[in-house]
Amino acid sequence: MTGWAKAQGVEGSIVTFLGDPRSELTKALGLVLDHPGPMAVLGNNRCKRFSMLIDDGIIKTINVAATESDPAGDNDPSVTLAEKMLGDL
């Protein structure tokens, strides 16, 4: 995750990238991407595309890009992008 943060230019900033290799957080948040369409390409279950604003350990907002017609959130990820997060602040 450090390499990804560095590549995105946010290393050492207030943005934190976290991994979830056993999908523990993904499952706890109910964000498992297990739709047959994406899974036919991806193989294993993944995490849905989302962004989350956490303040002092409290989830203030959670934005999920998945829709019924686009379970992976690829067609319109706008609710998970920086502009939306800035608005959530």
Side-chain angles (χ1 to χ4, degrees):
M1 299 308 295
T2 303
W4 188 19
K6 186 175 183 177
Q8 296 303 308
V10 296
E11 186 178 38
S13 73
I14 64 168
V15 175
T16 303
F17 286 11
L18 302 170
D20 186 20
R22 293 187 300 247
S23 298
E24 294 168 298
L25 180 62
T26 300
K27 291 173 186 171
L29 292 171
L31 293 173
V32 175
L33 175 60
D34 55 5
H35 187 279
M39 291 305 90
V41 176
L42 299 172
N44 298 329
N45 289 350
R46 303 291 173 99
C47 186
K48 293 180 181 178
R49 183 186 309 265
F50 78 98
S51 62
M52 188 174 358
L53 176 62
I54 303 171
D55 184 21
D56 249 353
I58 298 170
I59 298 172
K60 297 294 186 174
T61 61
I62 186 163
N63 306 302
V64 183
T67 63
E68 198 170 307
S69 63
D70 180 24
D74 291 335
N75 293 334
D76 183 14
S78 60
V79 298
T80 64
L81 301 180
E83 292 81 9
K84 172 67 170 110
M85 293 301 295
L86 290 171
D88 290 346
L89 290 173

